[in-house]
Amino acid sequence: MEIRQLQLEDFEASLGLSEYAFQFKLNGDDRVKSKQKFKPEGVWGIFEEGELSAKLTLLPFQVYVQGKAVSMGGIAGVATWPENRRQGLVAKLLSHTLQTMNESGHTLSFLHPFLIPFYRRFGWEIYCEYKKYTIPVGKFPRKAEMEGHVERDKANIEVLEQLYGRFASGYNGALLRDREWWENSVVDEDTHHCVFYSAAGEPGGYVLYKIENKELVIDEFIFMDEEARRGLWTFLANHDSMVTAAKLKLVPADDMLPFLLPDPRIPQENYPYFMARIVNAKAFVEGLTFKEQSELQKRTLYIEDEHAPWNEGLWEWKVDQQGEASLIQVEGNGEQADLRCGIGTLTVLLLGYKRPGELHRCGQLTGSLEAVEWLKGIMPQARTALFDFF
């Protein structure tokens, strides 16, 4: 058995496995385009006797954490032939990929799970969720009079990029989008956009949307302030003679729109979305800023992480007066620790998806009440979201 990056000559084997596993077929020009875009260095496979048995794609991304860029390895396209399943091949690929990401300086890894319990075994944990709304026309937000205006399908990507960056940087785990991602994964010829401009001419928000089956399908609703939110909704409400409803997708979990509606009783869904995992605990903790302290604080933390052994063990966690942290491995075991948790729990704790108290109450974080209170005192409030898919 050999684990290696794919090569150009492995394209047909890679595509064939994807077609079978994900139940699609590429023909003609689509197949030619797929080969042109094929980046074999980003795909890792397990080969047995020269045949591709399983594979996954490792995508180099950056995400916002506390408003700063953090290197993240995105895992996608995990596939195995049915005759090779339940032989531990994906487990071997994931362990190998964790090592690769650690060596490459990725401190986080994200993936969209086909089965949440499967990836929890390897340290990934749900870190964000999204809302979906269906709003009948009769329950749209009220139209508002304002000094600003909306322009449709006129703005360039730079305007959308600027607004997205300001909005997304407030959420831990949101993707930093480069130009290639915008052009290939966000906007397309079927997607309309509208931008709200203030009376002073400053862009304040945008909506990406389509009109399908007499419905507004809203892929992204980004706003900097209440004026922009109302202005964009007034524009959308002016479609009332054309559509019967609006469907909003990938709305962040802290969104308040239903509360602001004249009648909040609309169909709503909350859906667990992507999973995250800390790749290197020391690097990730030391890159965060915690709450300022009156004096140097420290506790011990035991991290359980059998698939990334460089994280496993007892650590001394210090936070100084400025909120800067250090994580130093020390001798000892879990019985001697002030706090103890698995790497998945640590991930959602540090990203801010769950708070120390609730993790302690449900047994995911163990330790003394005093240590849990210490952790509450150093952890800043945060919110998580992801507006993309890979």
Side-chain angles (χ1 to χ4, degrees), residues 216-246:
L216 284 168
V217 179
I218 299 171
D219 294 322
E220 208 158 274
F221 195 118
I222 301 296
F223 57 95
M224 300 300 107
D225 52 37
E226 182 63 11
E227 182 188 36
R229 189 190 71 81
R230 291 183 180 182
L232 291 167
W233 263 115
T234 297
F235 168 81
L236 295 172
N238 285 334
H239 291 75
D240 52 2
S241 64
M242 301 170 54
V243 301
T244 59

Side-chain angles (χ1 to χ4, degrees), residues 33 93 156 180 186 190 193 217 227 232 245-246 260 275 282 285 312 341 345 364 373 377:
K33 291 177 183 177
L93 269 179
N156 54 36
E180 182 181 2
V186 181
D190 298 322
H193 68 266
V217 179
E227 182 188 36
L232 291 167
L260 300 173
M275 302 182 83
K282 177 178 173 62
V285 169
E312 176 103 17
C341 66
T345 297
Q364 298 297 304
E373 288 299 317

Side-chain angles (χ1 to χ4, degrees), residues 133 135 139-142 223 226 229-230 233 254-266:
Y133 304 140
I135 309 177
K139 295 187 177 184
F140 274 16
R142 294 187 182 94
F223 57 95
E226 182 63 11
R229 189 190 71 81
R230 291 183 180 182
W233 263 115
D254 66 337
D255 183 73
M256 289 182 59
L257 177 61
F259 176 75
L260 300 173
L261 292 176
D263 182 355
R265 289 180 174 173
I266 61 170

Side-chain angles (χ1 to χ4, degrees), residues 174-212:
L175 197 68
L176 274 80
R177 297 171 175 170
D178 60 20
R179 180 54 58 87
E180 182 181 2
W181 188 260
W182 272 98
E183 293 176 348
N184 294 328
S185 301
V186 181
V187 296
D188 57 46
E189 60 184 13
D190 298 322
T191 301
H192 296 285
H193 68 266
C194 62
V195 177
F196 175 83
Y197 293 88
S198 69
E202 291 297 318
Y206 70 82
V207 176
L208 303 180
Y209 69 98
K210 301 179 180 72
I211 302 175
E212 299 176 345

Side-chain angles (χ1 to χ4, degrees), residues 148-159:
H149 70 283
V150 170
E151 294 184 2
R152 175 182 51 83
D153 294 338
K154 293 182 180 179
N156 54 36
I157 287 181
E158 285 82 0
V159 173

Side-chain angles (χ1 to χ4, degrees), residues 9 32 37 42 67 75 77 90 100 115 119 135 142 201-202 207 220 224 241 253 255 283 311 334 351 365 373:
E9 54 265 32
V32 172
K37 293 180 179 180
I75 292 178
V90 172
T100 300
L115 187 64
Y119 287 104
I135 309 177
R142 294 187 182 94
E202 291 297 318
V207 176
E220 208 158 274
M224 300 300 107
S241 64
D255 183 73
N311 292 328
L351 285 176
L365 172 69
E373 288 299 317

Side-chain angles (χ1 to χ4, degrees), residues 345-364:
T345 297
L346 185 64
T347 301
V348 299
L349 172 70
L350 293 177
L351 285 176
Y353 179 57
K354 299 299 179 186
R355 296 291 296 173
E358 58 189 339
L359 291 169
H360 184 253
R361 284 192 298 273
C362 66
Q364 298 297 304

